[in-house]
Amino acid sequence: MAPEQRAYGISFQSYALFPDSPSAKNTAYARSPRQNLDSQVRRRLSEMLDPMGLSGSEEIFPAKLSGGRQKRLALT
């Protein structure tokens, strides 16, 4: 299969997380850059964080997460 036809993703060494924002806002930023997270956005966040093993981490800042959890947060 030619390289341009292969399905692949890239995970950078630097996770590009906002250090001054909790996990929920880091995850929601691309979908809703507003400051306030409404109930619909919060519900969707739970659906995204749960399969990554990050449920309950919504208010935790990236520096308090392990390297593996930071990487999973960056992938959400």
Side-chain angles (χ1 to χ4, degrees):
M1 184 180 295
E4 64 272 6
Q5 294 176 331
R6 297 177 193 163
Y8 65 92
I10 297 173
S11 177
F12 296 101
Q13 189 69 26
S14 172
Y15 306 132
L17 297 170
F18 298 111
D20 58 340
S21 295
S23 299
K25 286 195 177 183
N26 268 284
T27 301
Y29 182 79
R31 291 146 191 88
S32 177
R34 303 182 310 251
Q35 277 295 78
N36 298 327
L37 301 178
D38 60 27
S39 61
Q40 182 180 7
V41 173
R42 287 197 177 275
R43 186 173 41 256
R44 181 69 179 124
L45 285 173
S46 294
E47 292 172 3
M48 294 171 64
L49 293 174
D50 188 44
M52 300 296 277
L54 294 170
S55 60
S57 302
E58 292 85 358
E59 299 305 318
I60 298 175
F61 289 84
K64 298 290 183 182
L65 298 172
S66 68
R69 291 182 80 173
Q70 286 180 26
K71 182 171 246 179
R72 286 183 276 156
L73 178 62
L75 292 171
T76 57

